[in-house]
């Protein structure tokens, strides 16, 4: 089974590629700026804003499944239109699609937790772009596509959240970690393993892939700092509600229904940042 990883040079995409190679597979992946330095990977340049290039890549690779792990941020042309264009192409070619979405599709108001049945109500341009793409995926490929919503993705020092904590702690970056911005962080190895499990199945619909621990960004930062031998007291704090920035304050993904279907266990941040949590291989 040929699987094409779109966004394979990104943070999540690189872990998907690594796990594929560890399993003895020959992964095929796309990059936008430059490919990663991984021997054994077949790389294709792709800009999701270019429909002709997308068709060329799909025709060349002829994948059975595409995992869309690309991150276009709030760029509507990439995150929304690119995701919609990919869903259209997958439907035309009969390709199974695993589309990675985000908890940013939710407003964080009026609910304790968001389960897989909840409909998007985004507050930010990024959330709106993600919501538009996942809606297209569900409409165009209702029986063959999986939409996987996730939360803050943490690694072993390489994620943007971890780099921010280090920069704030050593004073090379100004800013603060919010004490009222709640998410359910997930480790990139757990997330990638769960995505591969879904990819290898024929499961369709919406899946939530987030950790069980609901933490503020400041609490998460303190856990990262302790793991890495930094002083958590050096991390500045603030309240997002005092800044006027748009976005959901308390977005807790309930992954219970999805977790019951998976063999991989999604660990909570308190566990995987404890310093003695086993790492997946």
């Amino acid at each position: 089974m040929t699987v094409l990883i779109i966004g394979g040079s990104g943070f999540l995409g690189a872990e998907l590629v690594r796990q594929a190679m560890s399993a003895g597979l020959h992964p095929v992946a796309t990059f936008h700026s430059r490919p990663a330095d991984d021997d054994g990977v077949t790389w294709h340049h792709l800009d999701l804003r270019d429909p002709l290039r997308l068709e060329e890549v799909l025709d060349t690779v002829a994948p059975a499944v595409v995992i869309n792990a690309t991150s276009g941020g709030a760029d509507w042309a990439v995150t929304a239109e690119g995701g919609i264009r990919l869903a259209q192409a997958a439907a035309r070619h009969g390709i199974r699609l695993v589309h990675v979405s985000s908890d940013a599709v939710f407003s964080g108001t009026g609910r304790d937790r968001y389960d897989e049945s909840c409909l998007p109500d985004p507050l930010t341009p990024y959330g709106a772009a993600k919501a538009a793409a996942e809606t297209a995926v569900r409409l165009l490929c209702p029986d063959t596509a999986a939409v996987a919503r996730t939360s803050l993705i943490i690694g072993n020092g390489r994620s943007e959240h971890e780099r921010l904590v280090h920069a704030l702690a050593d004073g090379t970056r100004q800013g603060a970690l919010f004490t009222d911005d709640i998410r359910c962080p997930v480790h990139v190895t757990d997330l990638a393993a769960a995505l591969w499990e879904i990819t290898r199945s024929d499961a369709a619909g919406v899946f939530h892939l987030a950790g069980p621990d609901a933490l503020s960004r400041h609490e998460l930062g303190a856990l990262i700092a302790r793991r890495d031998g930094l002083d958590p007291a050096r991390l500045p704090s603030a309240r997002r509600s005092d800044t006027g920035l748009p976005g959901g304050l308390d977005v807790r993904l309930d992954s219970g229904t999805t977790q019951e279907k998976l063999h991989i266990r999604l660990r909570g941040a308190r566990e995987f940042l404890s310093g003695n949590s086993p790492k997946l291989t």
Side-chain angles (χ1 to χ4, degrees):
M1 178 177 69
T2 301
V3 179
L4 174 63
I5 303 167
I6 294 185
S9 59
F11 180 52
L12 173 57
E15 180 60 23
L16 287 165
V17 167
R18 187 195 71 79
Q19 291 190 17
M21 295 179 67
S22 295
L25 303 177
H26 182 86
V28 183
T30 74
F31 68 95
H32 182 254
S33 298
R34 60 184 179 85
D37 297 325
D38 289 319
D39 293 333
V41 182
T42 300
W43 291 101
H44 296 270
H45 178 263
L46 177 64
D47 185 332
L48 283 176
R49 293 170 295 186
D50 184 345
L52 294 179
R53 180 57 184 161
L54 174 59
E55 288 294 329
E56 289 175 357
V57 171
L58 294 178
D59 288 341
T60 300
V61 177
V65 186
V66 170
I67 304 175
N68 183 11
T70 191
S71 176
D75 188 330
W76 185 267
V78 177
T79 302
E81 293 175 2
I84 294 168
R85 188 172 293 116
L86 178 59
Q88 292 171 328
R92 283 197 306 272
H93 290 272
I95 299 170
R96 172 165 163 75
L97 177 60
V98 177
H99 178 85
V100 180
S101 190
S102 167
D103 58 6
V105 302
F106 297 123
S107 67
T109 58
R111 285 185 178 273
D112 292 331
R113 283 186 173 268
Y114 290 86
D115 65 22
E116 293 85 347
S117 68
C118 293
L119 298 178
D121 61 340
L123 296 177
T124 65
Y126 172 65
K130 279 292 191 182
E134 71 168 57
T135 300
V137 170
R138 296 181 67 189
L139 287 173
L140 294 169
C141 312
D143 301 319
T144 58
V147 170
R149 297 174 182 145
T150 190
S151 189
L152 300 181
I153 307 175
I154 307 300
N156 298 314
R158 297 181 295 112
S159 72
E160 61 178 281
H161 312 288
E162 293 161 287
R163 294 197 301 269
L164 174 61
V165 167
H166 279 252
L168 291 173
D170 63 24
T172 58
R173 181 169 172 177
Q174 293 188 340
L177 297 175
F178 296 130
T179 58
D180 58 347
D181 188 334
I182 311 297
R183 297 295 186 273
C184 295
V186 64
H187 199 281
V188 68
T189 57
D190 296 359
L191 175 58
L195 286 169
W196 274 120
E197 188 173 336
I198 292 170
T199 297
R200 294 186 182 102
S201 74
D202 59 359
V206 177
F207 300 85
H208 280 186
L209 301 177
D213 295 340
L215 301 170
S216 73
R217 289 180 184 264
H218 190 270
E219 289 172 320
L220 176 62
L223 289 174
I224 292 169
R226 292 189 186 98
R227 181 201 63 183
D228 296 346
L230 305 174
D231 182 3
R234 294 182 60 84
L235 298 176
S237 64
R239 286 171 51 85
R240 182 170 183 159
S241 56
D242 295 334
T243 67
L245 291 172
L249 288 177
D250 192 337
V251 184
R252 308 178 190 220
L253 288 190
D254 184 344
S255 303
T257 299
T258 296
Q259 183 66 86
E260 291 176 357
K261 302 174 183 176
L262 296 176
H263 291 96
I264 178 70
R265 183 174 67 86
L266 300 168
R267 296 169 293 167
R270 292 188 180 90
E271 178 181 349
F272 65 70
L273 289 172
S274 66
N276 54 17
S277 176
K279 296 179 183 178
L280 299 182
T281 57

